[in-house]
Amino acid sequence: MFNELCVRNTKIKSKKNKAPLPQKCGGGIHSALLQANSVAAACSTPPKYKMYQPNQTSSRETTLRYLTWDTPLSDQHEKAVQKIRDPTKWPAQEKHFVAGLSILTTFMAAYSISAYVSGVSSIAAEYGSSRTVVLVGMPTFQTAFAAAPMVLAPFSEFVGRKPVFLSTYGLYILCTLLIPLVNNLSGLLITRFFQGVGASTFSTMVGGIIADIYQPHERGMPMSLFATASFSGGIGQLASNFVVEPLGWRWIYWHQLIANALLMALIFFFFQECRGPLLLSRRAKILNSADLAPCNEKLSTPRITWKVKEEEERATLKQMIRISLTRPFYLLFTEPVVFWFSMWISFSWALLFMFYVSVPLTFETTYSFTPRQAGLVMLATVVGAGLGNLCYPFQERLYRKYVTEQPRFSLLRQFRKRPDSSGLCSDWNPEARLYTACLLSVAMSIGMFMYGSLMMPDIHWIFAVLSVTVVTFGSYSIYLAVFTYFADVYATYASSAMAAQSFCRNAVAGALPLGVTPMFTNLGFMEASLLLGGFGLLMSVVPLVLVVLGPEIRARSKFAKSLH
């Protein structure tokens, strides 16, 4: 095309200057051969690409098309965007590496929560305060941990997972550095709040990362490992108890600072952006920024402008923040499933945090354990989560078997109704996610009964340790059941439903440890444990009601009906 334009310009200038064109023998035949040779020369050269300048006037028409990961592209287009790939089709090793880094941050957040308890007595002695006042650092951290994702999550939709991950991780590391440097308790508690803001993405966004890179049928084991990391915070209390005695409470944070700095470096250099619609938009931007047509393409050929449907339909950042702040609470107070499941998981999560405070109190008082020995008891929480992880494949097999079938139990067949006018698929049975939780969640109450009844000087301490394992085992089954059930029932609204339960869960878990010492001291170890176990037993009715009456309850939910 460029050569043809040059020939035309030459002819125009020659006519304007009235200079005669040279004539060769053969006349028109020879000029035709020259023109053919010029075209052949133009086509024999490799296609050239030039940057598209939108301000230039062009007679080419523009065609708008939506770009997906399955859109067929020419070899030239594919080569231009080959580095931007569909995260769900990454090699398994890349997926596992990204998921592994993310799950490690979840573990570090849980580690930090329990490690704080190890320094409570030393901090109270140094600043001349009481243990109860210093323990305010736990609900302070948990409040920020629960509230911050409602604002931070929409930003990850716009700018991607990695920028939000790195910025919040930087805030977390900065606060970890400042906590041992402040010289008063008020400054410590304020810094602790912002540390919770930084750590908040280590839990909420990791679930989104797993959803970004794994297909639905691949998410079972990564989600299970994610839950295990959340329940492994007791290791932080164990390790910190061995640090605080010889080195002082500030080394609780110095050793975390070193570990988190190394992990952040790995994330900075090796973590890949995995937000699918955002990556697709980058592909579209590359395709739109360059005119990839060969040099001899005619101007009459329409030029394609690519768009991404998900990005076009997405709300503005202001709207997303407003929805993120309001919809979770709307679901919490209008959806019975969200409300009762949030209460259920909040109580079970609070019991785990209760052990961070009650285990040192009860084992040091009853069995004369040292702080280090009491820290070793917290390994029971890790064992309980590990046992729950081992049971998850059995639940997954039950789900795959009964998700599209009526339950075979005669009692459920008699009471379980599927109204035809509900607008829900009659063959869909998401309550299959709750089958094992109906049984295993009772272990939480049984463990609390054991914890209160066996916590006596004349009974070996190993039985009290086993009770902590049993409680954690039951809590783990509740945690997984709520997450997977919300994802199935609420689909696109699942993030809002999970945000609601996450806010309740962390708020209750942060507040309960403040009342542990007065409750166990005034009521007694046995009475306080039996009270909590009885309340947990009442909450165990929640999944049973859903298994029996789930279709009727979902039929009354406008959110569930609109999605299914």
Side-chain angles (χ1 to χ4, degrees), residues 30-44:
H30 187 71
S31 63
L33 289 173
L34 288 175
Q35 186 177 3
N37 289 336
S38 65
V39 173
C43 295
S44 63

Side-chain angles (χ1 to χ4, degrees), residues 89-109:
K89 295 181 181 178
W90 287 354
Q93 291 181 346
E94 290 186 30
K95 290 184 180 182
H96 299 338
F97 184 74
V98 170
L101 287 178
S102 305
I103 292 172
L104 276 176
T105 63
T106 303
F107 170 75
M108 293 308 300

Side-chain angles (χ1 to χ4, degrees), residues 21-239:
L21 292 173
Q23 298 292 329
K24 300 291 182 180
C25 61
I29 297 176
H30 187 71
S31 63
L33 289 173
L34 288 175
Q35 186 177 3
N37 289 336
S38 65
V39 173
C43 295
S44 63
T45 58
K48 297 180 180 179
Y49 307 112
K50 59 181 180 179
M51 295 303 294
Y52 172 67
Q53 302 295 336
N55 295 329
Q56 289 182 348
T57 59
S58 174
S59 60
R60 292 179 63 183
E61 297 179 359
T62 300
T63 301
L64 299 179
R65 292 185 184 177
Y66 285 119
L67 182 67
T68 67
W69 292 112
D70 298 324
T71 300
L73 300 174
S74 65
D75 293 340
Q76 298 169 358
H77 290 74
E78 193 65 49
K79 185 177 181 180
V81 295
Q82 63 181 351
K83 293 184 179 180
I84 304 177
R85 301 165 294 159
D86 182 1
T88 61
K89 295 181 181 178
W90 287 354
Q93 291 181 346
E94 290 186 30
K95 290 184 180 182
H96 299 338
F97 184 74
V98 170
L101 287 178
S102 305
I103 292 172
L104 276 176
T105 63
T106 303
F107 170 75
M108 293 308 300
Y111 186 101
S112 175
I113 293 170
S114 66
Y116 179 81
V117 180
S118 300
V120 167
S121 297
S122 299
I123 294 172
E126 180 172 330
Y127 293 132
S129 184
S130 64
R131 280 180 53 90
T132 302
V133 174
V134 178
L135 280 174
V136 172
M138 290 195 72
T140 301
F141 183 98
Q142 290 300 114
T143 301
F145 197 85
M150 295 186 175
V151 177
L152 293 175
F155 278 97
S156 70
E157 304 289 331
F158 275 81
V159 301
R161 308 293 191 193
K162 187 173 182 178
V164 175
F165 220 161
L166 288 175
S167 59
T168 55
Y169 210 159
L171 175 63
Y172 175 79
I173 290 178
L174 176 63
C175 293
T176 304
L177 171 66
L178 292 176
I179 286 176
L181 296 179
V182 296
N183 55 9
N184 58 76
L185 183 58
S186 299
L188 186 148
L189 295 178
I190 293 173
T191 309
R192 180 76 173 165
F193 175 85
F194 287 103
Q195 187 186 33
V197 173
S200 63
T201 56
F202 300 170
S203 176
T204 55
M205 205 163 68
V206 171
I209 290 172
I210 292 174
D212 286 340
I213 62 179
Y214 289 103
Q215 298 285 357
H217 65 277
E218 300 174 327
R219 294 173 191 163
M221 187 52 66
M223 285 298 294
S224 183
L225 293 174
F226 166 56
T228 303
S230 301
F231 276 80
S232 300
I235 296 177
Q237 189 171 356
L238 166 64

Side-chain angles (χ1 to χ4, degrees), residues 271-326:
F271 186 90
Q272 300 182 58
E273 180 56 56
C274 57
R275 176 68 181 156
L278 183 67
L279 293 176
L280 203 57
S281 295
R282 292 179 183 176
R283 284 174 69 103
K285 185 176 181 180
I286 292 175
L287 294 175
N288 292 334
S289 64
D291 186 357
L292 299 177
C295 62
N296 64 338
E297 183 182 358
K298 295 182 179 180
L299 290 173
S300 60
T301 304
R303 186 180 187 280
I304 299 175
T305 298
W306 297 100
K307 289 192 173 184
V308 178
K309 191 172 184 180
E310 292 87 346
E311 295 294 311
E312 200 172 46
E313 295 177 348
R314 186 181 61 184
T316 64
L317 179 60
K318 182 178 180 180
Q319 290 173 330
M320 292 185 69
I321 293 177
R322 179 179 58 80
I323 293 172
S324 182
L325 290 173
T326 57

Side-chain angles (χ1 to χ4, degrees), residues 347-348 350-355 358-359 362 440-455 463-475 512 516 519-520 524-537 540:
F347 179 75
S348 66
L351 288 184
L352 178 66
F353 279 69
M354 180 206 70
F355 284 135
S358 69
V359 163
T362 55
L440 300 182
S441 63
V442 181
M444 178 181 68
S445 300
I446 295 175
M448 286 307 302
F449 293 148
M450 292 171 57
Y451 188 71
S453 303
L454 303 177
M455 185 68 65
F463 294 104
V465 174
L466 289 175
S467 67
V468 176
T469 302
V470 174
V471 172
T472 310
F473 176 69
S475 299
L512 184 62
V516 167
M519 181 172 62
F520 275 73
F525 296 161
M526 177 183 293
E527 290 77 4
S529 300
L530 294 179
L531 177 64
L532 293 172
F535 188 78
L537 191 61
S540 299

